[in-house]
Amino acid sequence: MQKRRFTGRRPLLLAVGAGVTAAALAAGMTSAFAATVFSDDFTDGDTSGWSKSGGTWAVDGSGVLNQSNAGSELARQFAGQTSWTNYSVQARVRPTNFGSSSALVGLAARSTSSTKMYRLALLGSGRAELQAVNGSSVTAIGSAALGIGTGTWYNLRIETSGSTIRGFVNGTQIASGSNSLAGAGRIGLVTAYASGGFDDVLVDSSGGGTPTTPPPTTTPPPTTPPPAGWPTPTGSQKVDATIPVSGSFDGGLKRYYGIGDGGQSESQDPMFELAAGATLRNVIIGAPAGDGVHCEGNCTLINVWWEDVGEDAATFRGGTTYTVDGGGARSASDKVFQHNGSGTVYIKNFQVENAGKLYRACGNCSTSYQRHVVIDNVIVRNTDAIAGINTNWGDTARFSRITIVGDPDRETSICVKYKGVPKGSEPTEIGEGADGVNCLYSPSDITYQ
């Protein structure tokens, strides 16, 4: 990570300049934070040291980093280390366009993945809100009505100390609370359905768990420590173009990353493209992962892990039989497996966490195939639905040995039914639950823990 100092070319809401000292910083921050460990004012004209996920980013002629795509669902730039614990991060932030009242431009701290972080958000509604973000689940720690508008610079600061998280706007605390979502992680600049500018980023640490800046490397650290049961990568490899697989490919549990922008665009290239009959095994797919894995015919995925699903983890496009055996997927805001071709997808010995759906039979593809899925021995956490099928086309979903963890109110849908439609239209949800015809399972097939 390259470490840069401010040039003093613009006045800051906090008195920070080229000769920054601990004493000067203390005047604008709580005294617990005194050691500058990272700063960037973008006067070098680039985003070296940052990693992009979604959006359209560029540094303009005045040295401001702008995200200009107000239609991007989530746009993020990350810097720092996943091991950073207690620190303060601040930046000047200027919203330029809000697509809706819930759209946001903001700052992130302790980001453990592209969808898990603490976020201080300036909202299109005019409020500022300090949030704990875990995939599609957003918990407000606190907020204030500040009359936030476009074209105005705001100085945002997040302070993290143990489980205490505080948010400041223009030097005034707007929220403070205790939250255990993340104990360490990177900093981030974020937008959602909005555009904005960012400048004068500064990170300070109190010493306990002090961030350090290692030498530059082309191999990024893990986005988050692997959960229980998840493998630790044996190494990392940046991928600049789709890897074609014919026959069998064994990745030796190396992490592959670097395709696409980490967003939901369906135009992204896949990380791996499997020819008919191919097998992909022992691979960890990191972020960004583009459109994951494409199976052009029958395929087998063995012990494949997706650390942060972008568009889809895998798309089954041709053939009639596809098998997913072992592995897992996290952070899929929409779906994990997309079934566009005909035939049957078998998913077994798998785990899914923070997802919209584990499986979706395409409801508006150019060809309206009858599709089937068999799901066995799967662990589900924080996921809206396990499978979505189109009953008007005769789709079926069979479930056995399903374990749903941390869902005391049983809000996770097992089988969601849709009415499939021609390409260009949107399918409609028409029901859910076991029916003995399309959604096939009994209460004994589902275990809640």
Side-chain angles (χ1 to χ4, degrees), residues 47 50-58 65-78 114-115 186 189-196 198 258-265 268 287-290 308-311:
T47 54
W50 296 82
S51 60
K52 184 189 84 166
S53 178
T56 304
W57 298 84
L65 176 60
N66 294 287
Q67 198 295 106
S68 58
N69 184 0
S72 178
E73 179 182 15
L74 280 176
R76 295 140 293 185
Q77 287 275 5
F78 295 111
S114 62
T115 56
R186 299 183 293 171
L189 310 174
V190 298
T191 71
Y193 295 117
S195 58
F198 302 85
I259 292 281
D261 61 11
Q264 288 294 304
S265 171
Q268 297 179 83
D308 191 333
V309 175
E311 164 52 13

Short mmCIF file of all heavy atoms in Angstrom, two decimals, residues 47 50-58 65-78 114-115 186 189-196 198 258-265 268 287-290 308-311:
data_model
loop_
_atom_site.label_atom_id
_atom_site.label_comp_id
_atom_site.label_asym_id
_atom_site.label_seq_id
_atom_site.Cartn_x
_atom_site.Cartn_y
_atom_site.Cartn_z
N THR A 47 -5.53 6.23 -8.72
CA THR A 47 -6.05 5.55 -7.55
C THR A 47 -5.14 4.41 -7.13
O THR A 47 -5.60 3.37 -6.66
CB THR A 47 -7.47 5.02 -7.81
OG1 THR A 47 -7.45 4.20 -8.99
CG2 THR A 47 -8.45 6.15 -7.99
N TRP A 50 -5.67 1.66 -4.22
CA TRP A 50 -7.10 1.42 -4.02
C TRP A 50 -7.56 0.28 -4.92
O TRP A 50 -7.00 0.06 -5.99
CB TRP A 50 -7.92 2.67 -4.34
CG TRP A 50 -7.65 3.84 -3.45
CD1 TRP A 50 -6.62 4.73 -3.56
CD2 TRP A 50 -8.41 4.24 -2.30
NE1 TRP A 50 -6.68 5.67 -2.56
CE2 TRP A 50 -7.78 5.40 -1.76
CE3 TRP A 50 -9.56 3.75 -1.69
CZ2 TRP A 50 -8.27 6.06 -0.65
CZ3 TRP A 50 -10.05 4.42 -0.57
CH2 TRP A 50 -9.40 5.55 -0.06
N SER A 51 -8.60 -0.43 -4.51
CA SER A 51 -9.18 -1.49 -5.34
C SER A 51 -10.65 -1.19 -5.55
O SER A 51 -11.39 -0.90 -4.61
CB SER A 51 -9.01 -2.86 -4.69
OG SER A 51 -9.64 -2.91 -3.43
N LYS A 52 -11.09 -1.24 -6.82
CA LYS A 52 -12.44 -0.86 -7.20
C LYS A 52 -13.38 -2.05 -7.19
O LYS A 52 -13.00 -3.15 -7.55
CB LYS A 52 -12.42 -0.24 -8.60
CG LYS A 52 -13.77 0.28 -9.06
CD LYS A 52 -13.76 0.69 -10.52
CE LYS A 52 -13.99 -0.49 -11.43
NZ LYS A 52 -14.31 -0.12 -12.81
N SER A 53 -14.63 -1.78 -6.81
CA SER A 53 -15.70 -2.77 -6.93
C SER A 53 -16.96 -2.03 -7.35
O SER A 53 -17.62 -1.40 -6.54
CB SER A 53 -15.91 -3.51 -5.61
OG SER A 53 -16.97 -4.42 -5.70
N GLY A 54 -17.28 -2.08 -8.64
CA GLY A 54 -18.47 -1.42 -9.14
C GLY A 54 -18.26 0.06 -9.43
O GLY A 54 -17.35 0.69 -8.93
N GLY A 55 -19.13 0.62 -10.26
CA GLY A 55 -19.12 2.05 -10.52
C GLY A 55 -18.14 2.47 -11.61
O GLY A 55 -17.39 1.66 -12.15
N THR A 56 -18.13 3.77 -11.88
CA THR A 56 -17.23 4.38 -12.86
C THR A 56 -16.42 5.45 -12.15
O THR A 56 -16.95 6.51 -11.80
CB THR A 56 -18.02 5.00 -14.03
OG1 THR A 56 -18.85 3.99 -14.62
CG2 THR A 56 -17.09 5.56 -15.08
N TRP A 57 -15.15 5.18 -11.92
CA TRP A 57 -14.29 6.02 -11.09
C TRP A 57 -13.21 6.70 -11.92
O TRP A 57 -12.64 6.08 -12.81
CB TRP A 57 -13.63 5.20 -9.99
CG TRP A 57 -14.58 4.56 -9.02
CD1 TRP A 57 -15.23 3.37 -9.19
CD2 TRP A 57 -14.98 5.06 -7.75
NE1 TRP A 57 -16.01 3.09 -8.09
CE2 TRP A 57 -15.88 4.12 -7.19
CE3 TRP A 57 -14.67 6.21 -7.02
CZ2 TRP A 57 -16.47 4.29 -5.94
CZ3 TRP A 57 -15.25 6.39 -5.78
CH2 TRP A 57 -16.14 5.44 -5.25
N ALA A 58 -12.91 7.95 -11.60
CA ALA A 58 -11.81 8.66 -12.26
C ALA A 58 -11.43 9.86 -11.42
O ALA A 58 -12.27 10.48 -10.74
CB ALA A 58 -12.23 9.11 -13.66
N LEU A 65 -11.41 12.43 -6.64
CA LEU A 65 -11.84 11.13 -7.13
C LEU A 65 -13.36 11.13 -7.24
O LEU A 65 -14.06 11.33 -6.24
CB LEU A 65 -11.39 10.02 -6.18
CG LEU A 65 -11.85 8.60 -6.52
CD1 LEU A 65 -11.36 8.17 -7.90
CD2 LEU A 65 -11.40 7.61 -5.45
N ASN A 66 -13.88 10.92 -8.47
CA ASN A 66 -15.31 10.96 -8.70
C ASN A 66 -15.84 9.58 -9.09
O ASN A 66 -15.19 8.85 -9.85
CB ASN A 66 -15.64 11.94 -9.83
CG ASN A 66 -15.32 13.37 -9.44
OD1 ASN A 66 -16.03 13.98 -8.64
ND2 ASN A 66 -14.25 13.92 -10.01
N GLN A 67 -17.03 9.25 -8.60
CA GLN A 67 -17.80 8.10 -9.07
C GLN A 67 -18.99 8.69 -9.80
O GLN A 67 -19.86 9.32 -9.21
CB GLN A 67 -18.26 7.24 -7.89
CG GLN A 67 -18.68 5.82 -8.27
CD GLN A 67 -19.92 5.75 -9.16
OE1 GLN A 67 -19.82 5.48 -10.37
NE2 GLN A 67 -21.08 6.01 -8.59
N SER A 68 -19.05 8.49 -11.14
CA SER A 68 -19.99 9.22 -11.96
C SER A 68 -21.22 8.44 -12.39
O SER A 68 -22.12 9.00 -13.01
CB SER A 68 -19.27 9.73 -13.22
OG SER A 68 -18.71 8.65 -13.96
N ASN A 69 -21.29 7.14 -12.08
CA ASN A 69 -22.42 6.32 -12.52
C ASN A 69 -23.49 6.28 -11.43
O ASN A 69 -23.44 5.45 -10.52
CB ASN A 69 -21.94 4.91 -12.87
CG ASN A 69 -23.04 4.04 -13.43
OD1 ASN A 69 -24.19 4.47 -13.56
ND2 ASN A 69 -22.70 2.81 -13.75
N ALA A 70 -24.49 7.15 -11.55
CA ALA A 70 -25.55 7.20 -10.54
C ALA A 70 -26.49 6.01 -10.64
O ALA A 70 -27.34 5.82 -9.77
CB ALA A 70 -26.35 8.50 -10.68
N GLY A 71 -26.36 5.20 -11.69
CA GLY A 71 -27.18 4.01 -11.81
C GLY A 71 -26.56 2.77 -11.21
O GLY A 71 -27.18 1.71 -11.19
N SER A 72 -25.34 2.89 -10.67
CA SER A 72 -24.66 1.73 -10.09
C SER A 72 -25.27 1.37 -8.75
O SER A 72 -25.40 2.22 -7.86
CB SER A 72 -23.16 2.03 -9.92
OG SER A 72 -22.49 0.94 -9.33
N GLU A 73 -25.64 0.11 -8.60
CA GLU A 73 -26.26 -0.34 -7.36
C GLU A 73 -25.32 -0.19 -6.18
O GLU A 73 -25.70 0.28 -5.11
CB GLU A 73 -26.70 -1.80 -7.48
CG GLU A 73 -27.34 -2.36 -6.21
CD GLU A 73 -27.72 -3.82 -6.35
OE1 GLU A 73 -27.24 -4.48 -7.30
OE2 GLU A 73 -28.49 -4.31 -5.51
N LEU A 74 -24.07 -0.59 -6.35
CA LEU A 74 -23.06 -0.42 -5.32
C LEU A 74 -21.73 -0.14 -6.01
O LEU A 74 -21.29 -0.92 -6.85
CB LEU A 74 -22.93 -1.68 -4.46
CG LEU A 74 -23.96 -1.88 -3.36
CD1 LEU A 74 -23.75 -3.23 -2.67
CD2 LEU A 74 -23.88 -0.77 -2.32
N ALA A 75 -21.11 0.97 -5.66
CA ALA A 75 -19.80 1.32 -6.19
C ALA A 75 -18.89 1.59 -5.00
O ALA A 75 -19.25 2.34 -4.09
CB ALA A 75 -19.89 2.55 -7.08
N ARG A 76 -17.69 0.96 -5.02
CA ARG A 76 -16.81 1.06 -3.86
C ARG A 76 -15.36 1.13 -4.29
O ARG A 76 -14.96 0.53 -5.29
CB ARG A 76 -17.00 -0.15 -2.94
CG ARG A 76 -18.38 -0.24 -2.30
CD ARG A 76 -18.91 -1.65 -2.25
NE ARG A 76 -19.18 -2.14 -3.59
CZ ARG A 76 -19.75 -3.30 -3.86
NH1 ARG A 76 -20.10 -4.09 -2.89
NH2 ARG A 76 -19.95 -3.69 -5.10
N GLN A 77 -14.56 1.88 -3.52
CA GLN A 77 -13.11 1.86 -3.62
C GLN A 77 -12.58 1.52 -2.23
O GLN A 77 -12.96 2.16 -1.24
CB GLN A 77 -12.55 3.22 -4.06
CG GLN A 77 -12.79 3.57 -5.52
CD GLN A 77 -11.71 2.99 -6.43
OE1 GLN A 77 -10.83 2.25 -5.98
NE2 GLN A 77 -11.77 3.34 -7.71
N PHE A 78 -11.70 0.51 -2.14
CA PHE A 78 -11.17 0.08 -0.85
C PHE A 78 -9.67 0.31 -0.78
O PHE A 78 -8.96 0.20 -1.78
CB PHE A 78 -11.46 -1.40 -0.62
CG PHE A 78 -12.92 -1.74 -0.50
CD1 PHE A 78 -13.56 -2.47 -1.48
CD2 PHE A 78 -13.66 -1.31 0.59
CE1 PHE A 78 -14.91 -2.77 -1.39
CE2 PHE A 78 -15.01 -1.60 0.70
CZ PHE A 78 -15.63 -2.35 -0.29
N SER A 114 -16.75 -6.69 0.21
CA SER A 114 -17.38 -5.59 -0.51
C SER A 114 -18.79 -5.31 -0.03
O SER A 114 -19.39 -4.30 -0.39
CB SER A 114 -17.38 -5.87 -2.01
OG SER A 114 -18.13 -7.02 -2.30
N THR A 115 -19.35 -6.19 0.80
CA THR A 115 -20.72 -6.00 1.28
C THR A 115 -20.84 -6.10 2.80
O THR A 115 -21.93 -6.23 3.33
CB THR A 115 -21.66 -7.05 0.64
OG1 THR A 115 -21.18 -8.37 0.92
CG2 THR A 115 -21.75 -6.85 -0.87
N ARG A 186 -10.79 -2.95 6.16
CA ARG A 186 -10.26 -1.85 5.36
C ARG A 186 -11.16 -0.62 5.40
O ARG A 186 -12.27 -0.66 5.93
CB ARG A 186 -10.10 -2.31 3.90
CG ARG A 186 -9.13 -3.46 3.73
CD ARG A 186 -8.96 -3.81 2.25
NE ARG A 186 -10.19 -4.35 1.66
CZ ARG A 186 -10.37 -4.58 0.36
NH1 ARG A 186 -9.40 -4.27 -0.48
NH2 ARG A 186 -11.50 -5.08 -0.09
N LEU A 189 -14.64 4.05 0.15
CA LEU A 189 -15.44 5.15 -0.36
C LEU A 189 -16.58 4.51 -1.13
O LEU A 189 -16.35 3.64 -1.98
CB LEU A 189 -14.60 6.04 -1.28
CG LEU A 189 -13.25 6.50 -0.72
CD1 LEU A 189 -12.45 7.25 -1.78
CD2 LEU A 189 -13.44 7.37 0.52
N VAL A 190 -17.83 4.92 -0.87
CA VAL A 190 -18.96 4.15 -1.38
C VAL A 190 -20.06 5.05 -1.93
O VAL A 190 -20.27 6.17 -1.46
CB VAL A 190 -19.56 3.24 -0.28
CG1 VAL A 190 -18.55 2.22 0.20
CG2 VAL A 190 -20.05 4.07 0.91
N THR A 191 -20.78 4.53 -2.93
CA THR A 191 -22.02 5.13 -3.40
C THR A 191 -23.01 4.02 -3.69
O THR A 191 -22.62 2.88 -3.95
CB THR A 191 -21.84 5.98 -4.67
OG1 THR A 191 -21.57 5.12 -5.78
CG2 THR A 191 -20.71 6.99 -4.53
N ALA A 192 -24.30 4.36 -3.69
CA ALA A 192 -25.36 3.44 -4.10
C ALA A 192 -26.43 4.25 -4.79
O ALA A 192 -27.06 5.12 -4.18
CB ALA A 192 -25.92 2.68 -2.90
N TYR A 193 -26.62 4.00 -6.09
CA TYR A 193 -27.57 4.74 -6.91
C TYR A 193 -27.38 6.25 -6.75
O TYR A 193 -28.34 7.02 -6.65
CB TYR A 193 -29.00 4.33 -6.57
CG TYR A 193 -29.30 2.90 -6.92
CD1 TYR A 193 -29.63 1.96 -5.93
CD2 TYR A 193 -29.22 2.46 -8.24
CE1 TYR A 193 -29.88 0.64 -6.26
CE2 TYR A 193 -29.48 1.14 -8.57
CZ TYR A 193 -29.81 0.23 -7.57
OH TYR A 193 -30.06 -1.08 -7.90
N ALA A 194 -26.12 6.65 -6.71
CA ALA A 194 -25.77 8.06 -6.56
C ALA A 194 -24.39 8.27 -7.15
O ALA A 194 -23.63 7.32 -7.38
CB ALA A 194 -25.78 8.48 -5.09
N SER A 195 -24.05 9.53 -7.41
CA SER A 195 -22.71 9.89 -7.84
C SER A 195 -22.14 10.89 -6.85
O SER A 195 -22.88 11.58 -6.15
CB SER A 195 -22.72 10.46 -9.26
OG SER A 195 -23.55 11.60 -9.33
N GLY A 196 -20.80 10.97 -6.81
CA GLY A 196 -20.20 11.88 -5.85
C GLY A 196 -18.71 11.99 -6.01
O GLY A 196 -18.08 11.25 -6.78
N PHE A 198 -14.82 12.48 -3.91
CA PHE A 198 -14.13 12.14 -2.67
C PHE A 198 -12.73 12.75 -2.68
O PHE A 198 -12.08 12.79 -3.73
CB PHE A 198 -14.02 10.62 -2.51
CG PHE A 198 -15.34 9.90 -2.51
CD1 PHE A 198 -15.95 9.53 -3.70
CD2 PHE A 198 -15.98 9.61 -1.32
CE1 PHE A 198 -17.16 8.87 -3.71
CE2 PHE A 198 -17.20 8.95 -1.32
CZ PHE A 198 -17.80 8.58 -2.51
N GLY A 258 -9.97 -10.74 -9.95
CA GLY A 258 -9.56 -9.67 -10.84
C GLY A 258 -10.42 -9.42 -12.05
O GLY A 258 -10.17 -8.46 -12.79
N ILE A 259 -11.47 -10.23 -12.30
CA ILE A 259 -12.34 -10.02 -13.47
C ILE A 259 -13.53 -9.16 -13.07
O ILE A 259 -14.14 -9.37 -12.02
CB ILE A 259 -12.85 -11.37 -14.02
CG1 ILE A 259 -11.69 -12.17 -14.63
CG2 ILE A 259 -13.94 -11.17 -15.05
CD1 ILE A 259 -11.28 -11.74 -16.00
N GLY A 260 -13.90 -8.18 -13.90
CA GLY A 260 -15.11 -7.41 -13.67
C GLY A 260 -14.95 -6.35 -12.61
O GLY A 260 -13.84 -6.00 -12.19
N ASP A 261 -16.09 -5.81 -12.15
CA ASP A 261 -16.08 -4.69 -11.20
C ASP A 261 -16.71 -5.03 -9.86
O ASP A 261 -16.87 -4.17 -9.00
CB ASP A 261 -16.78 -3.47 -11.80
CG ASP A 261 -18.25 -3.72 -12.15
OD1 ASP A 261 -18.79 -4.76 -11.74
OD2 ASP A 261 -18.84 -2.88 -12.84
N GLY A 262 -17.12 -6.28 -9.66
CA GLY A 262 -17.73 -6.66 -8.39
C GLY A 262 -19.20 -6.33 -8.27
O GLY A 262 -19.82 -6.61 -7.25
N GLY A 263 -19.79 -5.74 -9.33
CA GLY A 263 -21.19 -5.35 -9.29
C GLY A 263 -22.11 -6.39 -9.88
O GLY A 263 -21.76 -7.56 -10.05
N GLN A 264 -23.33 -5.93 -10.26
CA GLN A 264 -24.38 -6.84 -10.73
C GLN A 264 -24.58 -6.79 -12.24
O GLN A 264 -25.54 -7.36 -12.76
CB GLN A 264 -25.70 -6.48 -10.04
CG GLN A 264 -25.73 -6.88 -8.58
CD GLN A 264 -25.68 -8.38 -8.40
OE1 GLN A 264 -26.51 -9.11 -8.92
NE2 GLN A 264 -24.71 -8.86 -7.67
N SER A 265 -23.67 -6.13 -12.96
CA SER A 265 -23.81 -6.06 -14.41
C SER A 265 -23.72 -7.44 -15.04
O SER A 265 -22.80 -8.21 -14.75
CB SER A 265 -22.72 -5.17 -15.00
OG SER A 265 -22.73 -5.25 -16.42
N GLN A 268 -20.53 -8.68 -17.60
CA GLN A 268 -19.18 -9.00 -17.17
C GLN A 268 -18.75 -10.38 -17.69
O GLN A 268 -19.56 -11.29 -17.84
CB GLN A 268 -19.09 -9.00 -15.65
CG GLN A 268 -19.38 -7.64 -15.03
CD GLN A 268 -19.31 -7.69 -13.52
OE1 GLN A 268 -18.23 -7.60 -12.93
NE2 GLN A 268 -20.44 -7.83 -12.87
N ALA A 287 -12.74 -11.58 -4.94
CA ALA A 287 -13.38 -10.42 -5.57
C ALA A 287 -12.33 -9.48 -6.17
O ALA A 287 -11.25 -9.32 -5.59
CB ALA A 287 -14.21 -9.67 -4.54
N PRO A 288 -12.65 -8.85 -7.33
CA PRO A 288 -13.87 -9.08 -8.09
C PRO A 288 -13.80 -10.36 -8.90
O PRO A 288 -12.73 -10.77 -9.34
CB PRO A 288 -13.94 -7.85 -9.01
CG PRO A 288 -12.51 -7.45 -9.20
CD PRO A 288 -11.83 -7.77 -7.91
N ALA A 289 -14.96 -10.98 -9.13
CA ALA A 289 -15.02 -12.29 -9.77
C ALA A 289 -15.81 -12.27 -11.06
O ALA A 289 -16.09 -13.32 -11.63
CB ALA A 289 -15.62 -13.30 -8.81
N GLY A 290 -16.22 -11.07 -11.54
CA GLY A 290 -16.98 -10.99 -12.77
C GLY A 290 -18.25 -11.81 -12.69
O GLY A 290 -18.97 -11.77 -11.69
N ASP A 308 -16.89 -13.74 -2.45
CA ASP A 308 -17.76 -12.57 -2.59
C ASP A 308 -18.37 -12.62 -3.99
O ASP A 308 -17.73 -12.21 -4.97
CB ASP A 308 -16.96 -11.28 -2.39
CG ASP A 308 -17.86 -10.05 -2.26
OD1 ASP A 308 -18.97 -10.08 -2.80
OD2 ASP A 308 -17.45 -9.08 -1.61
N VAL A 309 -19.60 -13.12 -4.09
CA VAL A 309 -20.24 -13.29 -5.40
C VAL A 309 -20.55 -11.92 -5.99
O VAL A 309 -21.14 -11.06 -5.33
CB VAL A 309 -21.53 -14.12 -5.27
CG1 VAL A 309 -22.25 -14.19 -6.62
CG2 VAL A 309 -21.20 -15.51 -4.75
N GLY A 310 -20.17 -11.70 -7.24
CA GLY A 310 -20.50 -10.46 -7.93
C GLY A 310 -21.86 -10.57 -8.59
O GLY A 310 -22.89 -10.41 -7.96
N GLU A 311 -21.89 -10.88 -9.91
CA GLU A 311 -23.18 -11.09 -10.59
C GLU A 311 -23.74 -12.46 -10.18
O GLU A 311 -24.66 -12.54 -9.40
CB GLU A 311 -22.98 -10.97 -12.10
CG GLU A 311 -24.12 -11.52 -12.95
CD GLU A 311 -25.50 -11.00 -12.60
OE1 GLU A 311 -25.63 -10.03 -11.85
OE2 GLU A 311 -26.47 -11.58 -13.07
#
